[in-house]
Amino acid sequence: MANETISREELMHIVDSRLNPATGEVNNNLIPFNVQQFNEFGLAYHSDYMDSAGLWGFKNQNGDVVCSPKFLFEPICYGEKYIVCSGSGWEHYDELPEGRIWSKEMKWGLIDKSFNTIIPFDYDSIECISPNLFDDNDEEIKNDVDYFVCRKYNDDKNEFYINSEVKDSNNNLIISGYNDVDYIIEYNQLVVYKGRERWPNPSDPGYAGVYDLSLHKEIIKPEKYHEMEIIDYNLFLVSDDIENSLYGTLINEKEEIIGKEKYWDQVCHTFRKNSKYNYQA
């Protein structure tokens, strides 16, 4: 089909059959909505993989358009902020005309409920990682601070991220200098990576370390362990075995060995009293 001539009417029929008109959830008295947006190529954005098309804007609860459709993908709400994607492109996994696969014009940013830009549209990926804080009685501590991982790819998108920054919801830079970070903050500590993404890859293992957001510093450098998991505050399950990352050693923030476990998922929970801890596996 890639070598055949196709009329614009046929192209419109193909595209129209794949459109997914939709609305999002109500937050901040705003409702994201999706519309078709055609241009000289047929469509401003289309993705078979995401099963979505067109552009997203915002309406108020009266149905009035308060932000015209201009974002790719559905906006993702966190409190009074939204992760959004701007640009144009064409992405597909079959033989649609033009052979349009990917556009590097797509960039992600963060806006507020008034559609002001908070984090600029300079990134290939933005993800919210929420703190998960607990007191000594294992009661969750409420925390209104949201942190966002802002990632940039190498020019070759088959390689790992060239840089990942962590910013707060006011665009303040919190962490930088790593290729990637983990997907969640545990006990106000975050696993960070150099020479790899957070997903394990035996052919490109890289290293994992730990950054403490309360102390504003790195407490375990990413230069020894290939895998790391935060079990409790200052208690980490690590592996330096590339071939079998399931084998783990429990260490503290001083890298002193607390114990060893054959499989990571055997560490069920830990107990702390007066800043001392033991674990049950």
Side-chain angles (χ1 to χ4, degrees):
M1 183 174 176
N3 296 324
E4 297 178 2
T5 302
I6 185 170
S7 68
R8 182 176 178 81
E9 289 71 23
E10 291 174 306
L11 175 59
M12 293 300 100
H13 176 74
I14 292 172
V15 172
D16 189 59
S17 67
R18 296 173 182 273
L19 287 175
N20 181 31
T23 57
E25 296 183 357
V26 179
N27 289 289
N28 305 305
N29 296 317
L30 297 172
I31 307 171
F33 72 98
N34 175 277
V35 298
Q36 305 175 25
Q37 290 287 318
F38 292 98
N39 60 20
E40 66 271 24
F41 297 112
L43 184 66
Y45 179 75
H46 176 79
S47 170
D48 292 343
Y49 182 73
M50 298 295 291
D51 191 28
S52 62
L55 299 177
W56 288 81
F58 289 90
K59 295 180 180 180
N60 60 25
Q61 290 184 285
N62 294 324
D64 303 318
V65 175
V66 291
C67 179
S68 60
K70 60 182 178 180
F71 300 117
L72 311 177
F73 307 108
E74 181 178 350
I76 306 170
C77 180
Y78 293 98
E80 296 184 350
K81 306 293 194 305
Y82 294 85
I83 295 177
V84 290
C85 182
S86 179
S88 63
W90 187 289
E91 180 184 16
H92 62 75
Y93 300 90
D94 55 16
E95 295 182 347
L96 287 175
E98 302 290 336
R100 301 175 68 81
I101 302 298
W102 181 263
S103 171
K104 290 187 177 180
E105 297 172 14
M106 298 179 194
K107 294 295 181 182
W108 295 80
L110 185 75
I111 62 173
D112 62 18
K113 63 180 182 179
S114 299
F115 318 117
N116 300 308
T117 298
I118 306 300
I119 296 178
F121 291 81
D122 294 334
Y123 299 96
D124 296 303
S125 168
I126 292 184
E127 176 185 17
C128 183
I129 50 174
S130 298
N132 190 5
L133 303 179
F134 297 89
D135 60 21
D136 286 340
N137 296 317
D138 284 333
E139 295 292 329
E140 186 171 2
I141 301 172
K142 297 296 183 181
N143 194 326
D144 295 328
V145 177
D146 278 325
Y147 294 101
F148 299 87
V149 184
C150 306
R151 299 182 173 96
K152 291 184 178 181
Y153 286 107
N154 282 298
D155 289 337
D156 181 356
K157 289 195 173 186
N158 292 320
E159 299 294 328
F160 53 76
Y161 299 106
I162 192 170
N163 184 45
S164 292
E165 301 173 340
V166 176
K167 295 185 172 184
D168 65 15
S169 53
N170 293 314
N171 195 35
N172 296 310
L173 182 63
I174 308 299
I175 301 174
S176 64
Y178 301 103
N179 292 115
D180 205 356
V181 304
D182 212 352
Y183 65 94
I184 192 169
I185 296 170
E186 297 277 5
Y187 307 102
N188 228 26
Q189 296 177 327
L190 181 64
V191 177
V192 295
Y193 301 99
K194 279 195 174 180
R196 57 166 287 189
E197 292 180 318
R198 68 186 185 214
W199 313 112
N201 184 351
S203 64
D204 223 354
Y207 295 97
V210 176
Y211 189 97
D212 191 303
L213 281 87
S214 299
L215 301 176
H216 308 289
K217 70 176 185 178
E218 187 180 77
I219 59 173
I220 296 182
K221 294 183 179 299
E223 59 185 18
K224 179 179 180 181
Y225 306 107
H226 296 294
E227 298 295 341
M228 182 169 296
E229 181 180 349
I230 299 172
I231 300 299
D232 206 330
Y233 180 70
N234 283 347
L235 183 63
F236 315 104
L237 193 53
V238 300
S239 173
D240 56 8
D241 184 349
I242 299 175
E243 299 299 325
N244 182 11
S245 62
L246 290 177
Y247 183 82
T249 301
L250 278 167
I251 65 171
N252 61 17
E253 76 282 7
K254 298 178 182 179
E255 299 188 49
E256 299 168 333
I257 295 177
I258 306 300
K260 293 187 176 182
E261 292 304 326
K262 185 177 180 181
Y263 298 105
W264 288 29
D265 57 7
Q266 287 184 341
V267 181
C268 302
H269 51 273
T270 58
F271 304 91
R272 284 188 296 143
K273 185 176 181 181
N274 298 326
S275 298
K276 301 290 185 181
Y277 52 75
N278 55 54
Y279 69 97
Q280 187 175 68

